[in-house]
Amino acid sequence: MSAKKPERALAEQWRDILALHARTQCELDRALHGHGLCASDFEVLDLLSDGAAEDGGCTYRVQEIAERVHLSQSALSRLIARLEKDGLVERAMCPEDRRGVRVALTGKGRALHGEVLPVQRAVLTRMLAG
């Protein structure tokens, strides 16, 4: 019977993490909605704003983005297409591998990221502060 206690505690801790994630995601979506973004949109813009792709360039291969933002390849492709349509990112073929696609922020995307970064960070601070 006592062997089940640590197992239950571990499962409860996992559920607490999932609940915190869900609440934080909802708060981010709500806060960013007025800027025309959702939390996943912001994550892609935030990643691209770092400009530290594996090869040191200022653009990321779609595969690199997928590994970092925890979206399926198809969901990420739709998200990038929407951001591109809104003029926030641009896609181009990889010069070193014509099968690959690189994504970079546009000036408009960089400006929007700078505008909403404090909003996103404030939500994270509030939601994760203990």
Side-chain angles (χ1 to χ4, degrees):
M1 192 66 116
S2 64
K4 294 261 183 190
K5 270 189 174 179
E7 210 172 277
R8 262 189 247 137
L10 187 61
E12 191 60 36
Q13 183 181 11
W14 174 241
R15 288 184 193 106
D16 289 345
I17 290 168
L18 291 174
L20 176 60
H21 176 268
R23 287 191 310 271
T24 304
Q25 192 80 8
C26 287
E27 284 297 313
L28 287 168
D29 284 340
R30 192 170 314 149
L32 298 172
H33 179 75
H35 300 276
L37 298 173
C38 68
S40 295
D41 297 340
F42 179 83
E43 285 303 315
V44 170
L45 296 180
D46 198 42
L47 176 63
L48 293 174
S49 75
D50 284 344
E54 285 177 9
D55 65 3
C58 64
T59 63
Y60 281 81
R61 292 175 66 114
V62 173
Q63 184 60 35
E64 290 175 310
I65 298 169
E67 291 168 0
R68 306 260 318 261
V69 298
H70 310 290
L71 292 173
S72 69
Q73 192 77 34
S74 61
L76 179 60
S77 291
R78 288 189 303 272
L79 186 150
I80 290 171
R82 189 175 67 251
L83 293 176
E84 185 177 39
K85 181 177 170 238
D86 292 343
L88 303 174
V89 302
E90 56 191 7
R91 289 186 277 191
M93 299 303 289
C94 294
E96 65 277 1
D97 178 2
R98 301 289 296 166
R99 296 170 296 170
V101 175
R102 290 198 168 271
V103 181
L105 277 180
T106 62
K108 181 180 176 182
R110 192 165 298 286
L112 181 59
H113 175 265
E115 180 183 322
V116 298
L117 180 64
V119 174
Q120 190 260 7
R121 296 303 197 254
V123 170
L124 291 182
T125 299
R126 186 175 79 249
M127 296 301 294
L128 304 177

